[in-house]
Amino acid sequence: MEKLLIIGAGIGQINIIKKAQKMGFHVTVVSQPGNYPGLDLADDIIYCDIYDREKIVDLAKEHHINAVTSDQNDLMMPTVAYIAEKLELPGNTFAQVMSYCNKNNFRDNCDKLNIPVPKHISVNSDDYNFSEFNCRLPWIVKPADSQSSVGVQRIDKMCELQPALEFALSKSPTNSAIVEEFFKGKEIVCEGYVENGKYYLLGFADRKYFKLDNLMIPAQTIFPSTVNTQILEKIVTYEERMAEYIAPSFAIIHSEYLINEESGEIRVVESALRGGGVYISSHLIPLATGIDVNEILLKKAMGKTVDVENLFKKRKSAAAGYVCFYLPEGIVQSVKGIEELRTYDFVKLMSLDDMKIGEKCYKMLHKGMRKGPILVYGNDREELEKNIMTVRNTLQIEVVTDKGTISNIIWE
């Protein structure tokens, strides 16, 4: 039996574990002990820190591993590449992965290739001298190599810089941060696949954020995007340019862009050699395009040939998205509509098991505190929007606040 090593056992690996097993692979996951759903699914487990790469290489040899992969998680991808290189397995080099996953490296490459990025500087200390950073506030401060918006903050005053920088550095495995201009615009997500440096577009999605001061937490990601086609075509040229320059052997590429639709200006915010999280690569892309990109990833990791050109010629055009929400601070008093949601054929997945009467709700501080997601399908964008409104009208959760008032779900 072919033996596959998957780095990580979190929620982003659930689909790829199940798919690999369905394809007949023996799946070993690498993870530290903890409440990770992939641990219950795997055929075998290596308990190890994902950053202890040399140890993982030795253990992979002992387990006679034939392939290595991971998805939907920036932190796992350098380890995947390191093991593939050391064991001479199909995959990308460590340098190729870091060219995308490290935000400072990625921006430097964008500058070389004339791909527009926000003005930025690399920072490795909280006492950095910003006198030469010729950029007006507000700024965005973020770790150079974290994920899920952890450590990302917007600052509007210089007095906010020091604590934001200390926090960002503390969330970086390499103690590295990036400070960049705040570019006002609509965010879109670009999903693609690359093979030997050739880029294939999977689709664009619009992203909406919760209206929270200084916290940048997505509420929705919806395929396809409604942004002007000419702007989207320009973004594809940027993706092609970077893919050709780095020339990954094979990978899903997840990129995020900001667009000022009035001026037509574009900025790429970040990119990574992995699929989008919150079920984007595992569920939303197959629903919206008919292309099972995780299956492609697994076959390539095993060294199998895939007719990518033909697959992308058969791409369909539908709509799919995830919606999340949060609850005001207080105690959940009532939950209605979950069973009704289960009857809707356009609701493809719900993560609502934690919605229980008596649950304590806390102030939302980061992306991991969102409720959901709920995955919704539509034959086109218009139908998808209607289905999302049906979901919002059906699910009703009441919370008793500390002041004794009754509040409901906050969707945006």
Side-chain angles (χ1 to χ4, degrees), residues 16-87:
I16 205 164
I17 291 172
K18 290 181 176 179
K19 187 168 292 294
Q21 291 171 328
K22 189 175 181 180
M23 293 169 67
F25 305 147
H26 179 280
V27 175
T28 300
V29 299
V30 175
S31 173
Q32 291 183 321
N35 186 27
Y36 302 112
L39 297 179
D40 294 330
L41 298 173
D43 300 305
D44 201 4
I45 303 169
I46 294 175
Y47 287 108
C48 185
D49 187 332
I50 65 162
Y51 297 111
D52 193 348
R53 293 167 183 145
E54 290 295 345
K55 183 177 180 180
I56 296 173
V57 167
D58 291 338
L59 291 170
K61 290 178 181 177
E62 293 179 14
H63 283 72
H64 304 290
I65 295 299
N66 305 116
V68 58
T69 194
S70 191
D71 192 29
Q72 300 188 29
N73 192 309
D74 284 347
L75 303 181
M76 312 301 176
M77 304 319 295
T79 297
V80 170
Y82 187 88
I83 294 164
E85 272 197 286
K86 290 291 184 178
L87 298 184

Side-chain angles (χ1 to χ4, degrees), residues 298-313:
L298 288 168
K299 287 181 177 179
K300 294 297 296 184
M302 282 293 179
K304 300 182 185 300
T305 300
V306 179
D307 188 353
V308 177
E309 294 279 354
N310 191 47
L311 279 175
F312 276 77
K313 287 178 182 177

Side-chain angles (χ1 to χ4, degrees), residues 95-308:
Q96 286 171 328
V97 169
M98 294 306 292
S99 294
Y100 275 89
C101 290
N102 183 283
K103 295 175 178 62
N104 282 316
N105 292 349
F106 180 72
R107 279 160 177 73
D108 289 343
N109 286 328
C110 286
D111 289 339
K112 293 176 187 175
L113 299 172
N114 198 29
I115 297 172
V117 291
K119 295 178 182 177
H120 58 279
I121 51 172
S122 175
V123 182
N124 299 98
S125 171
D126 57 14
D127 61 354
Y128 186 90
N129 183 356
F130 287 88
S131 60
E132 296 184 5
F133 186 43
N134 187 24
C135 181
R136 297 170 59 184
L137 290 168
W139 297 344
I140 298 295
V141 180
K142 62 179 73 173
D145 45 9
S146 71
Q147 62 160 6
S148 301
S149 300
V150 174
V152 180
Q153 294 185 60
R154 167 180 162 166
I155 66 164
D156 297 285
K157 303 174 184 177
M158 286 304 294
C159 63
E160 299 170 342
L161 176 60
Q162 186 75 11
L165 195 53
E166 291 177 359
F167 185 59
L169 290 167
S170 73
K171 297 300 180 181
S172 166
T174 59
N175 198 49
S176 179
I178 188 167
V179 178
E180 65 184 22
E181 69 171 326
F182 173 76
F183 180 84
K184 188 175 181 180
K186 176 178 181 177
E187 182 173 331
I188 65 168
V189 170
C190 179
E191 300 293 321
Y193 174 78
V194 61
E195 187 167 306
N196 296 323
K198 184 172 181 179
Y199 182 82
Y200 299 85
L201 176 68
L202 284 161
F204 287 100
D206 293 328
R207 177 163 282 174
K208 299 179 182 179
Y209 279 79
F210 292 111
K211 297 171 184 175
L212 293 166
D213 292 340
N214 296 333
L215 291 177
M216 309 186 69
I217 302 177
Q220 299 182 11
T221 299
I222 301 175
F223 292 86
S225 172
T226 58
V227 169
N228 182 286
T229 302
Q230 290 182 322
I231 292 177
L232 298 181
E233 289 174 348
K234 186 178 291 187
I235 289 174
V236 171
T237 67
Y238 297 150
E239 292 289 301
E240 291 173 337
R241 198 178 302 169
M242 182 64 74
E244 184 178 8
Y245 178 70
I246 305 299
S249 297
F250 62 90
I252 307 170
I253 299 182
H254 169 80
S255 300
E256 297 170 3
Y257 285 80
L258 289 172
I259 298 167
N260 187 316
E261 293 187 274
E262 292 182 5
S263 67
E265 289 183 277
I266 301 170
R267 298 289 187 275
V268 58
V269 180
E270 63 178 60
S271 190
L273 291 184
R274 48 92 176 171
V278 199
Y279 302 104
I280 288 177
S281 61
S282 58
H283 290 69
L284 298 187
I285 288 298
L287 285 170
T289 69
I291 296 175
D292 191 336
V293 69
N294 274 176
E295 183 173 327
I296 298 174
L297 189 68
L298 288 168
K299 287 181 177 179
K300 294 297 296 184
M302 282 293 179
K304 300 182 185 300
T305 300
V306 179
D307 188 353
V308 177

Side-chain angles (χ1 to χ4, degrees), residues 284-352:
L284 298 187
I285 288 298
L287 285 170
T289 69
I291 296 175
D292 191 336
V293 69
N294 274 176
E295 183 173 327
I296 298 174
L297 189 68
L298 288 168
K299 287 181 177 179
K300 294 297 296 184
M302 282 293 179
K304 300 182 185 300
T305 300
V306 179
D307 188 353
V308 177
E309 294 279 354
N310 191 47
L311 279 175
F312 276 77
K313 287 178 182 177
K314 298 177 180 178
R315 182 176 59 179
K316 72 173 186 178
S317 179
Y322 74 70
V323 294
C324 295
F325 61 92
Y326 71 98
L327 299 171
E329 293 179 81
I331 304 293
V332 176
Q333 176 179 266
S334 68
V335 180
K336 299 177 182 177
I338 291 181
E339 291 307 314
E340 187 175 348
L341 287 180
R342 297 187 199 281
T343 67
Y344 298 154
D345 60 359
F346 56 78
V347 174
K348 300 300 182 181
L349 184 147
M350 296 189 300
S351 295
L352 300 175

